[in-house]
Amino acid sequence: MSTATPSAPSNKLGLTKQDYVGSKSTLCAGCGHDSITGQIINAAFEMSIEGHRVAKFSGIGCSSKTPAYFLNQGWGFNGVHGRMPALATGACLANRTLINIGVSGDGDSMSIGTGQFVHAIRRNIPMIYIIEDNGVYGLTKGQFSATADKGSHLKSGAVNELPPIDPCTLAIELGCGFVARSFSGNPKQLNAILKAAFAYEGTAVIDVISPCVTFNNHDASTRSYKHVKDHDFPLHDLGFIQYSEVEEVDIAAGQTEVVTFPDGSKVAIKAIHEGYDPRDRFTAVKAIHESMQKGEFLTGLLYINPENPPLPEVLNLVDEPLATLPQATVKPGPGVLADIMESLK
Amino acid sequence: MTASLASPAVTGGAKTRINDFSIQVATVNGSGSQTANTVLLRAIFQMGVLVSGKNLFPSNIAGLPTWFTIRASAKGYVARKATNEMLILMNPETAKEDIAKADAGALVIYDEPLQLDKLRGELTYFPVPFQKLVTASCPEPKLHKLVKNMIYVGVAARLLGVDMAEVKKAIAKQLKGKAKAVELNQTAAVAGYDWAMENLPDQDHIKVVRDHKTEGLIIVDGNEACALGALFAGVTVVGWYPITPASSLVETFIEYAEEHRKDPKTGKSTVAIVQMEDELASAGVVLAAGWAGARSMTTTAGPGISLMSEFIGLGYYTECPGVFFNVQRTGPSTGLPTRTQQADIEMCAKASHGDTLHINLYPGNMEECFQFSYDAFDLAERFQTPIFVMTDLDLGMQNWSSKPFAYPDKPYDRGKVLDRKQLAEIQDWGRYQDVDGDGLCYRTLPGTPGGKGSYFTRGSGHNDHALYSEKPEDYVAVVDRLRKKYETAKSYVPKPVFRNLGSAKGILAFGSSDPAVIEAQDMLAEGGLNTDYLRLRALPFTAEVDAFVKEKQVIYVVEQNRDGQMTNLLREFYPGHATKFKSVLHYNGLALDAQTIIDQIHGFEQK
């Protein structure tokens, strides 16, 4: 299956990183989104994700093109603007064994698709929900999005006078059990967050600040690469430990906190930000607001509650995929119809 | 004239109408009158007489006027009849207007204090002291409002000659399992009957006489029939959003699924039902579930289809299966949400932007609501596209008598799906390759192991390998193949049914118009005008429709909308015959009646 050289490292499935790539990106050279794509490939490879179980969803926009650029072994569905969550919802109900990755943008999720974002979280759809957040509509050539900071300038000189919507505090408010923010220029942190997100069973929201090198990378933009690099305040050093590796890893004591997932995987969190408890949504929201007031991007695993049951569990669905249940299971027999007809006489 | 004890029997002078009349009951919405009206309908049905019921209700929870009409027909005509032989007036708000609109000679049962008998001659009045009777028969004051309606059932039963044993049986059936309510309502009905027997004269305008026309028949509404079709079709994912008049379709399905779609060992569900945040999301769930291999559906009405249209185009272009039930109501916009129409015909024929053509099914009765709902899932998977099942409020929410539904023995058609083994044997698989030349391609389901078969579904331009493409020839190849699929569908969709009296003049109708058309066709024939009637049951138009259009000199297209939407489609698909089509239209929100059709056809004939 592998097309790489024999020397390329392989994972537990015997696959190399080459088995996790997709088509060639058609985004602008230097686009932050391509870095995120690279980390999805790395994380899936390192987690030994079975490619055929992956379903990739997206809406419309630059970000929504990216599912074509990773995990060719998985099935992709590039839908309509702002409606990616509904597609993931339908697919996760049809086949609960799929591993769902949704890629959206700030335009896709915080304007036209805000309702779908909100309700996907409310239902706890089993999916990694990545927002590739550049504060701008790239594909239509540089209009403000709803995550643009107040006072930020467009290339044309136009100033954004409206306050931004923050996907992370919104997600925490809605009861999301996995809320993270990262920066496309911090691959190490993003990698750890993505791996933890693969282990999480419900909706894992990851807002990745990803500067648009073409339309929003000038000095007066708060989403330029330089500005974000200068204002990125990581919460903690994250280490993700997959279940089967637990025995081999020594978790440092002291300041390091460990959050365990239902499958046994663990995230080791070494706090940098004093007094921050990612399992307490109230202090999490407070810390995010405080950092926003200072103009900082607080990044890391902002909030985690691994016990949140995903929708197929709430609906008490059978364990096997509904899609392939045989006729004998889903079609009631003639006796059932006869009884119903009798009751209507 | 007010009937009184002094006159032994009220005689209209004309021949008594045996099992051939309409009753209209005027009440207040939310007063529990629906139960009473259904009991009266059911009691007549149990007498062996074919009946149909039409509930004309407001878009309101309680307090606004509502009317219910019951039609009995010895000849088996079940369409709405424009004239009523009996009125039961319980609503002070509308009583005066109801009297003014009443057909001459009608019998009027009313609440005595309203003193309606002073308003107009030409009618026969039967005043009833409802409050007095209800106080005497029901010990609990808080139940008086509900029980009051059952008294008029008793009074009407007496005047019509309906057996009280049948009324009691109907009450027990309607309030199944609620022993106290059954007793209370039976007592009230009997009180009304007994009082009428002692205090009101008999009448011989209209009578119910025991017959045998309903033996073995069921009473059901179209939403329940469709829900049962979906149940037996093995639907596995339902994404929906509440809307009148479609909600009860899913709600009935939920009740049946509770009982019949649980794993007997684990109690776990074999169907996922999710009330979504809106119709857009419902459509997305349906298509992605279909994409992932589930049998999926949603239920909605016109406003919902408007909202779903972007997704419907995605489903058409990316070729995802899904069943969309449209229980049509009166548009445009919010329109009359609780009234019926067939005004989404053109929208659903071509829903979404760009060139789109969809398969539509038009059930015309309860058996077809059941069977077409079952078939729709086969068609969706065979054609990998959204399928519309087009009913309306009249079919969906009204009571209809029907033959019991036959068990659908035909095994499911899951369409062209490649599994791991089949994929392993194929060298070059392309998602949108027309291997068989019928426009229908082979698909794979996400999660299929083996390292082959994955593809990228996109609503943007693509080639036959599902790769992004803006090449003119790739684009044209895909949309031309989609058109070929539509042609292939002609040999799969339900063919029309005919009722031919031998004529070069045709009638073409569909859906809930059927009963009124049959009645109109008979009455036209009695007047010397024979017609051949084609009842259309699907889009695309099939070969049988082609032949009918070519053969007839004139075709009256009967439909329930203002613009002649089906006529427009016929003119588009049969441009050489465009002048043959004459639109017979009805669009005031009420169910279609035969006289409307007759009057308009006579109008054309006299030109």
Side-chain angles (χ1 to χ4, degrees), chain A residues 153-174:
Chain A
H153 289 240
L154 279 183
K155 222 172 165 184
S156 64
V159 181
N160 178 39
E161 302 291 0
L162 298 174
I165 298 175
D166 176 31
C168 292
T169 45
L170 180 56
I172 294 171
E173 175 61 30
L174 291 164

mmCIF file of all heavy atoms in Angstrom, chain A residues 153-174:
data_model
loop_
_atom_site.group_PDB
_atom_site.id
_atom_site.type_symbol
_atom_site.label_atom_id
_atom_site.label_comp_id
_atom_site.label_asym_id
_atom_site.label_seq_id
_atom_site.Cartn_x
_atom_site.Cartn_y
_atom_site.Cartn_z
ATOM 1 N N HIS A 153 -7.802 46.395 10.182
ATOM 2 C CA HIS A 153 -7.906 47.037 8.861
ATOM 3 C C HIS A 153 -7.886 46.006 7.743
ATOM 4 O O HIS A 153 -7.176 45.020 7.822
ATOM 5 C CB HIS A 153 -6.715 47.984 8.641
ATOM 6 C CG HIS A 153 -6.778 49.213 9.472
ATOM 7 N ND1 HIS A 153 -6.817 50.488 8.936
ATOM 8 C CD2 HIS A 153 -6.801 49.375 10.814
ATOM 9 C CE1 HIS A 153 -6.867 51.366 9.918
ATOM 10 N NE2 HIS A 153 -6.849 50.717 11.073
ATOM 11 N N LEU A 154 -8.655 46.289 6.707
ATOM 12 C CA LEU A 154 -8.522 45.511 5.470
ATOM 13 C C LEU A 154 -7.367 46.084 4.665
ATOM 14 O O LEU A 154 -6.932 47.213 4.896
ATOM 15 C CB LEU A 154 -9.798 45.614 4.627
ATOM 16 C CG LEU A 154 -10.983 44.735 4.969
ATOM 17 C CD1 LEU A 154 -12.091 44.968 3.952
ATOM 18 C CD2 LEU A 154 -10.578 43.256 4.959
ATOM 19 N N LYS A 155 -6.917 45.332 3.688
ATOM 20 C CA LYS A 155 -5.859 45.798 2.800
ATOM 21 C C LYS A 155 -6.262 47.112 2.125
ATOM 22 O O LYS A 155 -5.455 48.013 1.933
ATOM 23 C CB LYS A 155 -5.634 44.740 1.719
ATOM 24 C CG LYS A 155 -4.194 44.468 1.388
ATOM 25 C CD LYS A 155 -4.160 43.269 0.462
ATOM 26 C CE LYS A 155 -2.830 43.126 -0.210
ATOM 27 N NZ LYS A 155 -2.845 42.023 -1.154
ATOM 28 N N SER A 156 -7.560 47.232 1.822
ATOM 29 C CA SER A 156 -8.067 48.429 1.146
ATOM 30 C C SER A 156 -8.093 49.634 2.081
ATOM 31 O O SER A 156 -8.344 50.751 1.646
ATOM 32 C CB SER A 156 -9.487 48.166 0.649
ATOM 33 O OG SER A 156 -10.341 47.957 1.763
ATOM 34 N N GLY A 157 -7.892 49.391 3.392
ATOM 35 C CA GLY A 157 -7.934 50.476 4.359
ATOM 36 C C GLY A 157 -9.210 50.497 5.178
ATOM 37 O O GLY A 157 -9.297 51.202 6.187
ATOM 38 N N ALA A 158 -10.236 49.727 4.770
ATOM 39 C CA ALA A 158 -11.494 49.705 5.519
ATOM 40 C C ALA A 158 -11.256 49.166 6.927
ATOM 41 O O ALA A 158 -10.430 48.275 7.126
ATOM 42 C CB ALA A 158 -12.501 48.821 4.792
ATOM 43 N N VAL A 159 -11.950 49.755 7.893
ATOM 44 C CA VAL A 159 -11.762 49.373 9.295
ATOM 45 C C VAL A 159 -12.995 48.598 9.770
ATOM 46 O O VAL A 159 -14.130 48.986 9.490
ATOM 47 C CB VAL A 159 -11.558 50.628 10.180
ATOM 48 C CG1 VAL A 159 -11.330 50.233 11.633
ATOM 49 C CG2 VAL A 159 -10.387 51.442 9.657
ATOM 50 N N ASN A 160 -12.768 47.514 10.505
ATOM 51 C CA ASN A 160 -13.888 46.748 11.060
ATOM 52 C C ASN A 160 -14.386 47.414 12.335
ATOM 53 O O ASN A 160 -13.651 47.542 13.308
ATOM 54 C CB ASN A 160 -13.444 45.316 11.372
ATOM 55 C CG ASN A 160 -14.566 44.513 11.998
ATOM 56 O OD1 ASN A 160 -15.719 44.648 11.603
ATOM 57 N ND2 ASN A 160 -14.240 43.708 12.997
ATOM 58 N N GLU A 161 -15.650 47.842 12.342
ATOM 59 C CA GLU A 161 -16.212 48.560 13.494
ATOM 60 C C GLU A 161 -17.025 47.648 14.405
ATOM 61 O O GLU A 161 -17.519 48.088 15.434
ATOM 62 C CB GLU A 161 -17.122 49.701 13.007
ATOM 63 C CG GLU A 161 -16.446 50.726 12.092
ATOM 64 C CD GLU A 161 -15.414 51.587 12.820
ATOM 65 O OE1 GLU A 161 -15.218 51.385 14.035
ATOM 66 O OE2 GLU A 161 -14.779 52.426 12.149
ATOM 67 N N LEU A 162 -17.193 46.396 14.006
ATOM 68 C CA LEU A 162 -18.068 45.511 14.793
ATOM 69 C C LEU A 162 -17.246 44.540 15.644
ATOM 70 O O LEU A 162 -16.156 44.130 15.249
ATOM 71 C CB LEU A 162 -18.987 44.715 13.853
ATOM 72 C CG LEU A 162 -19.941 45.570 13.010
ATOM 73 C CD1 LEU A 162 -20.700 44.704 12.016
ATOM 74 C CD2 LEU A 162 -20.908 46.318 13.917
ATOM 75 N N PRO A 163 -17.783 44.163 16.794
ATOM 76 C CA PRO A 163 -17.028 43.236 17.649
ATOM 77 C C PRO A 163 -16.977 41.833 17.047
ATOM 78 O O PRO A 163 -17.888 41.444 16.321
ATOM 79 C CB PRO A 163 -17.836 43.227 18.950
ATOM 80 C CG PRO A 163 -19.210 43.616 18.556
ATOM 81 C CD PRO A 163 -19.076 44.537 17.371
ATOM 82 N N PRO A 164 -15.942 41.082 17.357
ATOM 83 C CA PRO A 164 -15.831 39.730 16.804
ATOM 84 C C PRO A 164 -16.685 38.722 17.569
ATOM 85 O O PRO A 164 -17.011 38.923 18.739
ATOM 86 C CB PRO A 164 -14.351 39.395 16.990
ATOM 87 C CG PRO A 164 -13.943 40.198 18.182
ATOM 88 C CD PRO A 164 -14.783 41.443 18.185
ATOM 89 N N ILE A 165 -17.038 37.638 16.901
ATOM 90 C CA ILE A 165 -17.639 36.478 17.578
ATOM 91 C C ILE A 165 -16.489 35.524 17.871
ATOM 92 O O ILE A 165 -15.696 35.223 16.981
ATOM 93 C CB ILE A 165 -18.671 35.778 16.672
ATOM 94 C CG1 ILE A 165 -19.830 36.726 16.345
ATOM 95 C CG2 ILE A 165 -19.208 34.503 17.337
ATOM 96 C CD1 ILE A 165 -20.833 36.153 15.351
ATOM 97 N N ASP A 166 -16.402 35.053 19.105
ATOM 98 C CA ASP A 166 -15.327 34.126 19.441
ATOM 99 C C ASP A 166 -15.862 32.698 19.474
ATOM 100 O O ASP A 166 -16.686 32.357 20.334
ATOM 101 C CB ASP A 166 -14.718 34.482 20.803
ATOM 102 C CG ASP A 166 -13.661 33.455 21.203
ATOM 103 O OD1 ASP A 166 -13.004 32.899 20.297
ATOM 104 O OD2 ASP A 166 -13.524 33.183 22.416
ATOM 105 N N PRO A 167 -15.419 31.858 18.547
ATOM 106 C CA PRO A 167 -15.950 30.491 18.496
ATOM 107 C C PRO A 167 -15.673 29.699 19.774
ATOM 108 O O PRO A 167 -16.468 28.829 20.132
ATOM 109 C CB PRO A 167 -15.221 29.846 17.317
ATOM 110 C CG PRO A 167 -14.370 30.880 16.688
ATOM 111 C CD PRO A 167 -14.405 32.124 17.511
ATOM 112 N N CYS A 168 -14.576 30.002 20.465
ATOM 113 C CA CYS A 168 -14.208 29.192 21.637
ATOM 114 C C CYS A 168 -15.109 29.460 22.842
ATOM 115 O O CYS A 168 -15.630 28.526 23.448
ATOM 116 C CB CYS A 168 -12.743 29.416 21.993
ATOM 117 S SG CYS A 168 -11.636 28.758 20.732
ATOM 118 N N THR A 169 -15.303 30.751 23.177
ATOM 119 C CA THR A 169 -16.185 31.018 24.326
ATOM 120 C C THR A 169 -17.612 30.589 23.994
ATOM 121 O O THR A 169 -18.335 30.090 24.852
ATOM 122 C CB THR A 169 -16.155 32.507 24.725
ATOM 123 O OG1 THR A 169 -16.248 33.307 23.553
ATOM 124 C CG2 THR A 169 -14.888 32.844 25.470
ATOM 125 N N LEU A 170 -17.995 30.774 22.722
ATOM 126 C CA LEU A 170 -19.332 30.341 22.311
ATOM 127 C C LEU A 170 -19.480 28.821 22.496
ATOM 128 O O LEU A 170 -20.475 28.337 23.045
ATOM 129 C CB LEU A 170 -19.567 30.736 20.845
ATOM 130 C CG LEU A 170 -20.909 30.393 20.199
ATOM 131 C CD1 LEU A 170 -22.069 30.971 20.995
ATOM 132 C CD2 LEU A 170 -20.950 30.912 18.754
ATOM 133 N N ALA A 171 -18.473 28.091 22.072
ATOM 134 C CA ALA A 171 -18.524 26.626 22.187
ATOM 135 C C ALA A 171 -18.591 26.190 23.648
ATOM 136 O O ALA A 171 -19.341 25.276 24.001
ATOM 137 C CB ALA A 171 -17.313 26.002 21.496
ATOM 138 N N ILE A 172 -17.804 26.853 24.508
ATOM 139 C CA ILE A 172 -17.828 26.494 25.935
ATOM 140 C C ILE A 172 -19.212 26.766 26.512
ATOM 141 O O ILE A 172 -19.789 25.946 27.230
ATOM 142 C CB ILE A 172 -16.747 27.278 26.716
ATOM 143 C CG1 ILE A 172 -15.347 26.854 26.260
ATOM 144 C CG2 ILE A 172 -16.908 27.061 28.225
ATOM 145 C CD1 ILE A 172 -14.211 27.720 26.809
ATOM 146 N N GLU A 173 -19.759 27.913 26.152
ATOM 147 C CA GLU A 173 -21.099 28.279 26.633
ATOM 148 C C GLU A 173 -22.138 27.227 26.236
ATOM 149 O O GLU A 173 -23.057 26.931 26.979
ATOM 150 C CB GLU A 173 -21.468 29.655 26.054
ATOM 151 C CG GLU A 173 -22.879 30.135 26.370
ATOM 152 C CD GLU A 173 -23.133 30.278 27.865
ATOM 153 O OE1 GLU A 173 -22.176 30.572 28.598
ATOM 154 O OE2 GLU A 173 -24.284 30.055 28.281
ATOM 155 N N LEU A 174 -21.957 26.655 25.033
ATOM 156 C CA LEU A 174 -22.924 25.686 24.521
ATOM 157 C C LEU A 174 -22.735 24.287 25.096
ATOM 158 O O LEU A 174 -23.472 23.369 24.771
ATOM 159 C CB LEU A 174 -22.815 25.618 22.994
ATOM 160 C CG LEU A 174 -23.284 26.879 22.254
ATOM 161 C CD1 LEU A 174 -22.775 26.875 20.825
ATOM 162 C CD2 LEU A 174 -24.793 26.987 22.288
#
